[in-house]
Amino acid sequence: MSDEEGTTAEEVLLYLIAQLVEHPDQVELEIEETDTKISVIAIGSSADIGRVIGKRGRVANSIRTLVRAAAVKDGVDVEVDFSD
């Protein structure tokens, strides 16, 4: 999310994940930008990824909703995925 684009969404995503995991220092974001969308892949330790996804993906879906709402402030469309 270069040139100040999507920084609010990135900060919200990092904050939310850091509050859920036991090892927040191991969380990394891979960011891929296209003309119409920014894709963010949050990568954490395999022990913590279950906490981020939650039962039936409910936590992950909530995180996606909050990050998309934060991205509206910056005028971008964000897609969030999780990996270990």
Side-chain angles (χ1 to χ4, degrees):
M1 296 181 198
S2 61
D3 302 333
E4 298 296 320
E5 238 180 51
T7 56
T8 304
E10 180 181 349
E11 290 174 9
V12 168
L13 179 59
L14 283 173
Y15 176 79
L16 291 171
I17 292 175
Q19 300 305 307
L20 293 171
V21 299
E22 289 184 19
H23 308 287
D25 54 323
Q26 294 180 0
V27 175
E28 298 177 10
L29 298 181
E30 284 185 11
I31 301 165
E32 298 175 11
E33 296 183 42
T34 64
D35 292 339
T36 59
K37 188 180 291 188
I38 297 172
S39 296
V40 180
I41 301 172
I43 301 173
S45 70
S46 58
D48 288 334
I49 200 69
R51 290 174 175 239
V52 174
I53 294 174
K55 288 186 180 181
R56 296 186 181 180
R58 290 183 180 161
V59 175
N61 286 334
S62 297
I63 290 172
R64 287 182 183 110
T65 301
L66 290 170
V67 172
R68 282 188 202 119
V72 168
K73 180 180 179 185
D74 297 323
V76 296
D77 187 24
V78 176
E79 179 181 313
V80 179
D81 199 9
F82 304 96
S83 179
D84 57 350

